[in-house]
Amino acid sequence: MEKTEAHWVASMTSIAQHKDQKAFAEVFRHFAPRVKAFLIKSGADYALAEECMQDVMATLWHKAHLYDPSRASVATWIFTIARNRKIDLLRRYARPEPEDLPWGPEDAPDQVDAIALQQESTKLVDAVRKLPQKQRDLIERAYFGDLTHNEIAAETGLPLGTIKSRIRLALERLRHAMN
Amino acid sequence: MPAIRHHVPDDLLMGYAAGVLPQAFDLVVAAHVSLNDDARVRLAGYEELGGAVLSDLGEAELAPDSLEQTLAKISRMQPTERSAPTGGVFPAPLRKMIGGDASAVKWKSIARGTKQAVLCADGDATARLLYIPAGQAMPEHSHRGTEMTLVLQGGYSSEDGHFQRGDLEVAGQQTHHTPIADDDGEDCICLVATDGRLRFDGLLPRIAQVFLRI
């Protein structure tokens, strides 16, 4: 059975707080094959994709304490690490990343915000899954990097609008989480 | 009349989330997001879409000892600390590329106190810092590609409106503009990314164009 977002968030907390190798192995079994598939579809060969995927999963272990469930789903956080590592390796420059938000004890992730984000994130995954195959392929290709976004907008039309409204909902939650 | 864009357009934000922009544009988007919370939440949305795509991908076959190798890699790596926010004129991604804040920039004089520093060039896409003394005009120019200008200090006005720290102006192909730095005492510093060669209007600026290589 498919694990819920709450399950993966709990795994991340356990890795961060208890260096939980069992939780890590489970996260690895689920996400590593997807990260590797993402890298292959982005143009990496099998050997490079395996190497890069291992870097991504090792980074996940060491950065687990920086993961904030009120700002991104686990899949999204892993996606951003994989995307950055891909750029480091394929294009050979360190990707410029935004400055971290100021962080203090009072900014600890709020449980309610985190749950709201998990719900929105799950809805977004569902919305992408329900797209007709052709449109889904276009969105995927945009994120693998072989299609410009103007082409996406032209070819997807209304379904992209659906996705955008889903994003807007997610954004409201995100904005709330940041206030 | 050209549309005023004080915020990063969706296509550039989605391109940044997907990781398909040239480095120069990545730098300007990262710097803008550092200074603008609205851009930060919109980016988070496009990254969620990336996460949704990843969740839905098929599974590639792993090397037989993949997990063991990753655990070995983990033991060789140093733990990552949260980077402490440091004040300054430049946001973190820019400081990282320069190796310091505004005082670390290796400026090259253009004319009349105007200076620039090229930070990175990747094919046709270039990122540079521009320093314009308060009250002074930049050479009038138009451009073939896209130009993104992020204000880091001071402000400027052009035909497209007024821009101050954190504001981003995105000018397309047809835009003709003459930015003038605010005359309120503070010199203007901008981070500019271009993806085509700029065309300056007028003879002297054309010489400057050769000199600037933009």
Side-chain angles (χ1 to χ4, degrees):
Chain A
M1 204 189 114
E2 195 171 356
K3 297 277 194 303
T4 61
E5 179 61 22
H7 174 85
W8 297 122
V9 170
S11 303
M12 289 303 301
T13 309
S14 199
I15 293 167
Q17 292 179 354
H18 310 296
K19 302 274 168 215
D20 185 340
Q21 291 214 10
K22 203 168 149 249
F24 179 76
E26 197 188 18
V27 168
F28 188 93
R29 277 195 297 276
H30 181 77
F31 286 103
R34 289 173 170 82
V35 168
K36 189 170 176 182
F38 166 73
L39 295 164
I40 289 166
K41 292 201 172 201
S42 301
D45 63 31
Y46 271 78
L48 183 64
E50 175 72 31
E51 175 77 20
C52 186
M53 175 280 291
Q54 290 181 15
D55 289 346
V56 171
M57 299 311 288
T59 303
L60 176 144
W61 172 275
H62 282 296
K63 286 193 170 178
H65 62 294
L66 301 179
Y67 171 64
D68 176 351
S70 66
R71 283 171 55 191
S73 68
V74 175
T76 295
W77 191 66
I78 294 173
F79 162 75
T80 60
I81 296 173
R83 171 202 63 192
N84 293 352
R85 189 71 191 136
K86 174 183 98 176
I87 292 171
D88 293 347
L89 283 177
L90 294 183
R91 295 207 232 150
R92 298 175 198 286
Y93 68 80
R95 175 180 163 91
E97 277 296 291
E99 192 159 330
D100 244 350
L101 287 170
W103 183 269
E106 71 279 10
D107 297 321
D110 185 298
Q111 192 68 19
V112 176
D113 291 336
I115 289 166
L117 186 114
Q118 286 162 29
Q119 288 168 349
E120 285 307 318
S121 170
T122 305
K123 278 188 198 169
L124 185 67
V125 172
D126 286 345
V128 172
R129 270 185 198 156
K130 281 178 188 146
L131 285 174
Q133 190 61 42
K134 201 178 158 199
Q135 271 94 34
R136 234 172 78 179
D137 288 348
L138 283 168
I139 300 284
E140 288 182 3
R141 280 161 62 197
Y143 280 82
F144 305 141
D146 63 354
L147 197 67
T148 70
H149 300 285
N150 281 341
E151 285 175 75
I152 308 259
E155 289 186 47
T156 53
L158 196 61
L160 185 62
T162 310
I163 288 189
K164 280 184 175 173
S165 68
R166 290 291 186 189
I167 292 173
R168 275 196 291 276
L169 278 174
L171 293 190
E172 281 173 27
R173 300 290 190 182
L174 284 163
R175 196 193 304 272
H176 177 63
M178 288 166 130
N179 283 338
Chain B
M1 201 174 120
I4 299 171
R5 283 174 160 181
H6 287 230
H7 296 290
V8 55
D10 282 303
D11 51 353
L12 284 167
L13 214 45
M14 190 176 177
Y16 179 83
V20 298
L21 299 181
Q23 185 184 16
F25 285 74
D26 270 352
L27 178 65
V28 179
V29 173
H32 176 60
V33 167
S34 301
L35 298 173
N36 185 303
D37 286 346
D38 175 67
R40 195 187 284 275
V41 285
R42 286 165 60 216
L43 173 61
Y46 283 114
E47 288 182 335
E48 279 300 323
L49 188 52
V53 167
L54 184 76
S55 298
D56 223 14
L57 270 184
E59 303 186 14
E61 197 182 330
L62 303 183
D65 57 348
S66 204
L67 178 58
E68 290 70 28
Q69 284 198 29
T70 305
L71 291 171
K73 205 166 242 186
I74 285 169
S75 63
R76 290 194 300 270
M77 276 168 79
Q78 294 294 317
T80 312
E81 297 302 325
R82 180 180 295 279
S83 53
T86 46
V89 178
F90 293 169
L94 189 54
R95 284 200 304 271
K96 195 175 167 195
M97 184 165 280
I98 295 166
D101 203 21
S103 57
V105 179
K106 295 185 177 67
W107 295 106
K108 286 192 173 159
S109 185
I110 302 173
R112 303 188 307 275
T114 304
K115 297 180 282 188
Q116 76 154 353
V118 175
L119 303 178
C120 63
D122 167 17
D124 269 351
T126 304
R128 73 193 63 237
L129 283 162
L130 279 180
Y131 187 103
I132 312 154
Q136 195 154 308
M138 275 296 293
E140 188 180 345
H141 65 278
S142 56
H143 25 84
R144 270 188 269 162
T146 301
E147 180 184 77
M148 289 174 90
T149 306
L150 173 68
V151 183
L152 298 166
Q153 177 187 294
Y156 72 86
S157 292
S158 73
E159 288 85 340
D160 299 334
H162 182 245
F163 298 84
Q164 51 197 353
R165 179 172 162 84
D167 284 344
L168 185 76
E169 183 181 15
V170 179
Q173 207 152 5
Q174 304 306 324
T175 314
H176 243 77
H177 59 181
T178 322
I180 299 171
D182 290 354
D183 194 10
D184 60 0
E186 197 172 29
D187 293 339
C188 182
I189 301 179
C190 295
L191 175 63
V192 185
T194 47
D195 79 346
R197 292 172 75 84
L198 292 171
R199 284 186 295 110
F200 283 94
D201 304 306
L203 180 63
L204 270 178
R206 195 168 295 148
I207 294 167
Q209 185 183 4
V210 174
F211 181 63
L212 293 167
R213 298 190 301 113
I214 54 179

